[in-house]
Amino acid sequence: MIAILIPFFAAVLVPFIYKRVPSRNIGWFVLLVPLMLFLILASYIPAVAGGETYIHTINWIDSAGINFTTYLDGLSMIFGLLITGVGTLVILYSIYYLSEREALGRFYVYLLMFMGSMLGVIFSDNLMVLYVFWELTSISSFLLIAFWYHRKKSRYGAQKSMLITVSGGVAMLAGFIMLHTLTGSFSVRDIIASIGQYTGESLFLLAMLLVLLGAFTKSAQFPFHIWLPDAMEAPTPVSAYLHSATMVKAGIYLVARFTPVFGGEAVWFYTVSCVGLFTLFWGSFNAVRQTDLKALLAYSTISQLGLIMCLFGLGSAALNEGYSADSVIYTQATFAALFHLINHSTFKGALFMVVGIVDHEVGTRDIRRLGGLMSFMPITFTIALIGSFSMAGLPPFNGFLSKEMFFDAVLNARNLDIFAMGTWGTLFPVVAWIASVLTFVYSMIIVFKTFLGQHQPARLEKEPHEAPMGMLVAPSILAMFVVGIFFFPNVIGNYIVRPAMAAVYPPFEGAEGLVPHIVAWHGFNYMPLWLTIGVVVVGGGLYLFLRYWRSVYEIAPLSWSLDTLYNGILVQTEKGSSYLTRFYMTGYLRDYLVYIFTFFIFAVGGSMLLTGTYKFDLSGDAPITINEYIIVFVMMGAGIAIIFAKSRMTAIILNGVLGYSIAIFFVVFRAPDLALTQIIVETVTTALFLLCFRFLPEWQKEKSARHTKVIHAVIAFSVGTIVTVLALAVQGNKMFESISFYFENAYELAGGKNIVNTILGDFRAFDTMLEVVVLFIAGIGVFTLIKLKARKEEKDVEDQ
């Protein structure tokens, strides 16, 4: 729980520290936060690997079952280490990447907010708390993507990501509420334990699809992937953090966490695996056509996320019929997904940093203007080579291991005897292999088009040179992990992935064969090896002859894209809302009151008619005396007379008659405290009216058409009738004892003899305090406007 809150506390301190230290040094303070959290989490690795879990709860809204409960297990450990570990390297990289002229204080506040929000997502056991942090990631990522808000593309990319991910988040919230309706709990652990008895319920399938909608929008799965390329307008450290290791992995985490809930269902299996498989293909296909290095990495990220998502879908088949020797085979897909999740964060984080270095030192990311940079930037080239070859699935890099596991998983999918996979299973390895070929092509483009070939100094904005050593440290560390994991994969497999597998497959915990022994060489009879060789041969050929077949991308016009559809929907929505706003925003208060009262008539009056609650009984009421009749008729006369008043003074006096008549009613009903309060309030209000109206223009009677007056009269009569009937119905149908009996003991409970004062100052003290605060804020706003107006008038006088 402290791990979640520390980044938020640090974010609060950053602005104060930023004012007192040189701007570049603020990054070193922020660097301590993820580094400390990473070391804390790393200290728990042995215990978690041994099967320990850690739960901590702070009661929040007990009556609704909403508590701040954090849960550390193997699955949350993987994501926690990625969030803090990659976060440490990204902040180190940003210290040298961002200029001192940038608003570094604001940048690091946003980054820490995002880090805390992501930690909140992965450690939260309560669905409502998880949702709060989920939307906080959308808000903080919006701020990070729009960091360079003076750029139109940055604002557009931030808005696009916000609209798509928040919409998915709202759908996910609806799914969470349905799960609570089914199980009676917001706890993820409780839902996993009890969901088996609810799988046949009608809400189960809908809850599943809504949760997946939230996951797909966050993890940029087709067709919601369109926000990710536009989010590349963010500074490179943001892209390296959000779009390789954290935000886009939130949806992956959600699918992994809910696999024990929905896994084994045919709809979950096909939706997750097929959407992931098509996203893998579509992302790799579109990556090849990109001419901007960052856009290429964006589509490659989409593709790799699809690969991981597809593996989780295939792995869910193991839960269809419970544990058996055969079902354990399909858990290997989930193992490959978790392993590739780590590998992807290492090589993709390094590649994003490399692209940032190229842009920073050369002044462009356009592949058409690059080439021959290897001799100028040898270290950067080496890191790019390691990252790209790992992404392509070549040895001796970690991507080779997880890519072969992926091939093995899709080949095993052909043998599934459930969900009609005997018919459709062959498509999985075919599409996966084609996507892998395209992945090989764009990986080669990154290396050879950027660092080899002909140098074009005339087309570059800067003289190319190697980046400062400080900027190279972070990607170099990630590149070392890429190589190191290849040679020591079982360290990751046994200590990091194994406990995560136990979290994804609670029924299989401790089962033999759940966690395979990872080896790089399986012999020549290993089919995934031949698929990899085929990828290299065909992918190499396609890269060499790229200029001959690249025209295939010109077959479909750009106007047929999902981006065009999104932009069209956005434009039409804005036009429709503008038309609607112009229609009802007339500028006249009377029209707004007509809208409000008409809605009130249909909503309240209609509900009373449909439910029959308009009935009331007056037989048990006390008789009305002549004095009360007189007061009522006086109030009615004053209220009607206000309508025909010809001056403000007359209207104010008549309004005062209404207020003082109510005070007399309180006296008649033996409520002197209320009468005194009413007299004071009415006196002050009348005085304020007189002061304010003195500075307003003369009262002018409105001239309205006869039919308008008739409509207004009907609305007024209807509202008055409904309110009267509603009051009588409430008074005649009391379901509970009046709360006023409680307040009669005000002197004993609060030590006050005036009940009204006691209610305001004791029983409703916080409410009264907040009302005072609101008035205070409004007063500050009015004072500010007056001062600004006075300053503007002084400036106008000086200009004259």
Side-chain angles (χ1 to χ4, degrees), residues 2 14 104 258 356 435 493 538 546 584:
I2 298 298
V14 164
L104 296 180
F258 279 88
V538 177
L546 182 61
Y584 73 85

Side-chain angles (χ1 to χ4, degrees), residues 263-569:
E265 297 293 324
V267 175
W268 176 272
F269 173 83
Y270 272 116
T271 304
V272 176
S273 58
C274 292
V275 168
L277 188 67
F278 188 78
T279 302
L280 165 65
F281 165 76
W282 192 249
S284 60
F285 177 74
N286 281 279
V288 176
R289 72 185 298 178
Q290 303 305 314
T291 57
D292 182 290
L293 279 174
K294 220 173 176 186
L296 189 155
L297 287 182
Y299 279 102
S300 74
T301 300
I302 293 168
S303 177
Q304 297 294 309
L305 292 172
L307 184 153
I308 298 170
M309 193 70 76
C310 177
L311 285 170
F312 274 116
L314 294 175
S316 69
L319 293 169
N320 179 251
E321 296 181 359
Y323 172 73
S324 66
D326 294 333
S327 63
V328 171
I329 296 174
Y330 305 117
T331 64
Q332 308 309 309
T334 300
F335 183 90
L338 293 168
F339 189 55
H340 193 67
L341 180 80
I342 299 170
N343 294 341
H344 176 258
S345 297
T346 56
F347 65 69
K348 187 56 63 67
L351 286 173
F352 267 114
M353 293 180 188
V354 164
V355 170
I357 289 172
V358 171
D359 190 20
H360 192 274
E361 306 304 330
V362 179
T364 182
R365 304 191 304 258
D366 192 332
I367 298 172
R368 295 166 297 186
R369 299 167 62 185
L370 297 172
L373 297 180
M374 181 180 69
S375 58
F376 300 97
M377 311 171 75
I379 300 177
T380 304
F381 165 72
T382 303
I383 298 170
L385 183 74
I386 293 172
S388 297
F389 279 21
S390 179
M391 184 163 60
L394 300 177
F397 309 110
N398 58 1
F400 169 76
L401 299 176
S402 48
K403 182 60 72 70
E404 290 216 330
M405 290 181 187
F406 171 59
F407 283 148
D408 194 30
V410 294
L411 288 170
N412 286 334
R414 297 176 305 168
N415 302 322
L416 273 172
D417 57 357
I418 56 174
F419 307 143
M421 283 296 286
T423 304
W424 301 101
T426 307
L427 287 176
F428 279 81
V430 172
V431 176
W433 186 82
I434 294 172
S436 297
V437 169
L438 295 171
T439 300
F440 184 90
V441 174
Y442 68 67
S443 297
M444 298 305 104
I445 290 174
I446 295 173
V447 177
F448 297 114
K449 294 287 186 181
T450 304
F451 294 96
L452 300 179
Q454 184 179 358
H455 180 48
Q456 307 176 73
R459 304 187 69 182
L460 302 180
E461 298 181 11
K462 299 179 182 179
E463 184 69 26
H465 57 85
E466 188 59 272
M469 189 54 63
M471 200 182 295
L472 292 167
V473 171
S476 298
I477 292 174
L478 289 171
M480 286 190 287
F481 272 103
V482 170
V483 178
I485 291 174
F486 175 82
F487 290 103
F488 305 99
N490 291 295
V491 174
I492 300 294
N494 291 326
Y495 287 94
I496 305 296
V497 182
R498 179 190 294 273
M501 288 288 287
V504 177
Y505 296 108
F508 298 176
E509 188 173 358
E512 184 179 352
L514 188 63
V515 178
H517 184 73
I518 308 172
V519 294
W521 177 251
H522 296 266
F524 286 108
N525 294 326
Y526 190 54
M527 188 61 182
L529 174 65
W530 291 103
L531 290 178
T532 300
I533 294 172
V535 166
V536 174
V537 173
V538 177
L542 288 176
Y543 171 75
L544 292 174
F545 297 98
L546 182 61
R547 63 181 181 275
Y548 296 109
W549 63 271
R550 205 167 195 170
S551 58
V552 70
Y553 292 102
E554 300 173 4
I555 296 175
L558 291 176
S559 59
W560 291 7
S561 67
L562 288 169
D563 282 294
T564 304
L565 177 63
Y566 166 84
N567 292 330
I569 292 173

Side-chain angles (χ1 to χ4, degrees), residues 75 125 127 175-176 178-180 182-183 185-200 203-205 207-209 211-212 253-266 268-269 316 319-320 503-507:
L75 185 61
D125 177 65
L127 293 181
F176 286 171
M178 291 179 185
L179 283 175
H180 176 265
L182 285 173
T183 63
S185 175
F186 282 121
S187 170
V188 176
R189 292 175 295 114
D190 292 345
I191 291 172
I192 291 173
S194 63
I195 195 64
Q197 56 188 307
Y198 303 107
T199 54
L203 286 179
F204 180 78
L205 178 59
M208 176 199 300
L209 295 176
V211 169
L212 283 179
Y253 168 79
L254 195 70
V255 169
R257 180 60 79 190
F258 279 88
T259 292
V261 178
F262 300 114
E265 297 293 324
W268 176 272
F269 173 83
S316 69
L319 293 169
N320 179 251
V504 177
Y505 296 108

Side-chain angles (χ1 to χ4, degrees), residues 14 134 140 294 312 586 616 662 670 712-713 764:
V14 164
W134 183 277
S140 50
K294 220 173 176 186
F312 274 116
T586 61
F616 53 87
I662 293 173
R670 296 178 181 83
H712 290 175
R764 293 180 59 233

